[in-house]
Amino acid sequence: GQNIDQPTEMTATEGAIVQINCTYQTSGFNGLFWYQQHAGEAPTFLSYNVLDGLEEKGRFSSFLSRSKGYSYLLLKELQMKDSASYLCAVRDSNSGYALNFGKGTSLLVTP
Amino acid sequence: DTGVSQDPRHKITKRGQNVTFRCDPISEHNRLYWYRQTLGQGPEFLTYFQNEAQLEKSRLLSNRFSAERPKGSFSTLEIQRTEQGDSAMYLCASSPPQGKNYEQYFGPGTRLTVT
């Protein structure tokens, strides 16, 4: 199986930049995903990385280093509505298409 | 609305009862997944269908759990003889056959409370 670690909680100020880190261990890496989940709602897809490097999508960017088993999600120009849980998930080629999620990082954006 | 739908949204049941949940994936999505999520945790994979075939089951899926997708469209998840530890949010997700098949679209979930 995988061991996926991410910080439990983070706090940042509106308008600032925040970086949420994720480390993982897997035997057959086949993609890393970031999802956003507001309380009581379903996770929504943010980004996908399968090759090393940075993927940018608007205010959100995601980075992957496969050799280090490391990813981060970068959120710029934080808004109050960005307060949510951010889930890092890894797909393993040995497990078909199932996603293995970390416990999530609860981000609080303050005024 | 063309997203993933789940029914019911909430279910309260007494220990020992059987419950069944339904998931309707996005039209033409041939891949369907069930996950379970408890408070403060990320979703945990339960099972995966490609069309009507159940291709993968997690060891979390005890023999009290069964899932079906009889015609390759909607799916049901049944829990027999529910236990308090089954209380959780049950999430369904679907993804298309090819192309952007990496993205899983989640439904709103069914929150189960076993008393």
Side-chain angles (χ1 to χ4, degrees), chain A residues 65-79:
Chain A
S65 169
R66 289 172 295 170
S67 63
K68 296 181 180 178
Y70 167 69
S71 173
Y72 67 72
L73 180 69
L74 194 71
L75 292 76
K76 303 176 185 176
E77 301 169 14
L78 281 173
Q79 302 175 7

Side-chain angles (χ1 to χ4, degrees), chain A residues 31-84:
Chain A
L32 187 139
F33 303 75
W34 285 95
Y35 279 80
Q36 180 191 60
Q37 187 175 28
H38 286 98
E41 298 182 9
T44 55
F45 172 81
L46 289 178
S47 69
Y48 165 71
N49 296 71
V50 66
L51 299 175
D52 290 352
L54 188 68
E55 294 283 340
E56 297 186 78
K57 189 186 294 185
R59 294 189 299 115
F60 293 6
S61 302
S62 58
F63 172 83
L64 174 67
S65 169
R66 289 172 295 170
S67 63
K68 296 181 180 178
Y70 167 69
S71 173
Y72 67 72
L73 180 69
L74 194 71
L75 292 76
K76 303 176 185 176
E77 301 169 14
L78 281 173
Q79 302 175 7
M80 299 297 289
K81 67 178 182 179
D82 296 331
S83 292

Side-chain angles (χ1 to χ4, degrees), chain B residues 52-101:
Chain B
E52 65 277 8
Q54 188 174 18
L55 297 185
E56 192 174 347
K57 290 193 291 186
S58 163
R59 61 181 179 275
L60 292 175
L61 212 67
S62 76
N63 55 12
R64 296 186 297 106
F65 287 68
S66 62
E68 295 181 345
R69 195 182 183 198
K71 297 182 180 179
S73 56
F74 73 92
S75 175
T76 58
L77 177 68
E78 181 183 17
I79 308 175
Q80 296 181 330
R81 305 180 302 281
T82 53
E83 302 173 355
Q84 288 188 321
D86 297 331
S87 295
M89 175 75 84
Y90 289 84
L91 293 164
C92 175
S94 70
S95 62
Q98 292 296 336
K100 294 181 65 176
N101 64 357

